[in-house]
Amino acid sequence: MVLYHTILCTLLFYVNCDDSLEKRILMSDPDYINQQMTHLQGELQSLQAKVQSQEAKLQTQSAELHTLQNLQSTVQAQTNEISSLKQQLVQANSDGGGSTFVRWGRMDCPANLTELVYSGYAGGSYSGHSGAAADPLCLPPDPQWLDTTVVPDTYTGHIYGAEYESVNANTLFGPKSHDEEVPCAVCRSTSFVSSVMIPARTTCYSGWTKAYGGSLSSGYYAQTATSQYVCVDEHAQPVVGGADRNDIGVLFYGVKAFCGSLRCPPYEPDKFIACVVCMK
């Protein structure tokens, strides 16, 4: 048994010695070293390629991140703008409308739709003046004057009162209203934000609400002064306590259709033109 053990140990010793000797021989072999170096260089190149690929991906992701940040800034700016517009809309709705218009021929405003800003007297330029202003004004009954002193000057504009006018005693603006002074009222809508005067209509188009209707009015076509079309209320009234005399000034006449360049039909000659003020 002891002999067997001794022989086994001796064989193992020689085997181990042979392995070490083989390794020493391989490490001193130039071909083996070159193979190992070539292998290591291949692995290094592979790693370098992977690093370059990762760097390229990182640059792409960085560019994408920059684009997303710019997009986020744009979206934020648009969000802020939308929020501002919503606030303005809420404010407009909370204010309850805001459209204003003049109701000619009345000193009150349409009930339940508008509120009275002020009432007063229609006025404007003299109908016979060639330098007259075209638009009539709704003059308040409580004027305030400039606190200034100027040298008297004849080169000025003039303002006069307004009268209902017709060659007949009865006019579109009520019986015996000829030469009566014209009242007016400035009205503000409590529910609507826009208003429009539509000539040749007694009703509003779909989606619009009627404030009042009446007769289209302007100056006499042969007079010197330029005039403007306005809508006089169908239930026109004179100024309470006003003068019933022919002072001229601004004259409110009815308006008739005159065919030619005006298409007839649908318009018809010698008919008075209606009007309506609509809100939305």
Side-chain angles (χ1 to χ4, degrees), residues 66-214:
H66 184 67
T67 301
L68 289 175
Q69 289 175 341
N70 290 339
L71 181 61
Q72 184 178 13
S73 299
T74 302
V75 171
Q76 184 63 44
Q78 293 177 345
T79 301
N80 292 340
E81 184 177 0
I82 291 173
S83 177
S84 176
L85 291 174
K86 286 183 177 179
Q87 291 178 357
Q88 294 177 22
L89 181 60
V90 169
Q91 183 65 38
N93 291 333
S94 64
D95 289 344
S99 173
T100 59
F101 59 88
V102 178
R103 189 183 191 186
W104 301 101
R106 300 279 299 193
M107 299 193 73
D108 57 346
C109 293
N112 303 323
L113 295 175
T114 59
E115 61 184 10
L116 179 68
V117 180
Y118 70 90
S119 60
Y121 323 116
S125 294
Y126 190 83
S127 58
H129 287 171
S130 58
D135 54 321
L137 299 174
C138 187
L139 300 171
D142 51 350
Q144 297 174 335
W145 304 101
L146 296 174
D147 186 16
T148 182
T149 301
V150 296
V151 177
D153 191 353
T154 58
Y155 290 92
T156 66
H158 289 176
I159 194 164
Y160 297 82
E163 301 174 1
Y164 299 119
E165 197 72 16
S166 175
V167 296
N168 300 313
N170 296 326
T171 74
L172 291 173
F173 315 120
K176 298 181 180 180
S177 60
H178 180 68
D179 288 340
E180 291 280 5
E181 296 177 6
V182 182
C184 58
V186 176
C187 306
R188 176 186 181 273
S189 169
T190 56
S191 304
F192 304 94
V193 296
S194 60
S195 61
V196 61
M197 189 274 281
I198 305 176
R201 293 281 299 183
T202 59
T203 60
C204 298
Y205 289 105
S206 177
W208 291 78
T209 298
K210 181 177 179 180
Y212 77 93

Side-chain angles (χ1 to χ4, degrees), residues 1 9 17 40 58 73 83 93 152 201 203 211 233 254:
M1 185 68 177
C9 289
C17 288
L40 290 173
L58 182 61
S73 299
S83 177
N93 291 333
R201 293 281 299 183
T203 60
D233 194 276

Side-chain angles (χ1 to χ4, degrees), residues 178-258:
H178 180 68
D179 288 340
E180 291 280 5
E181 296 177 6
V182 182
C184 58
V186 176
C187 306
R188 176 186 181 273
S189 169
T190 56
S191 304
F192 304 94
V193 296
S194 60
S195 61
V196 61
M197 189 274 281
I198 305 176
R201 293 281 299 183
T202 59
T203 60
C204 298
Y205 289 105
S206 177
W208 291 78
T209 298
K210 181 177 179 180
Y212 77 93
S215 303
L216 194 66
S217 175
S218 73
Y220 180 54
Y221 75 89
Q223 286 174 335
T224 305
T226 300
S227 64
Q228 189 177 65
Y229 294 112
V230 298
C231 188
V232 177
D233 194 276
E234 59 188 326
H235 303 295
Q237 300 170 334
V239 171
V240 177
D244 183 10
R245 62 176 184 264
N246 188 19
D247 290 327
I248 310 181
V250 185
L251 303 180
F252 280 41
Y253 287 87
V255 177
K256 288 185 177 181
F258 188 84

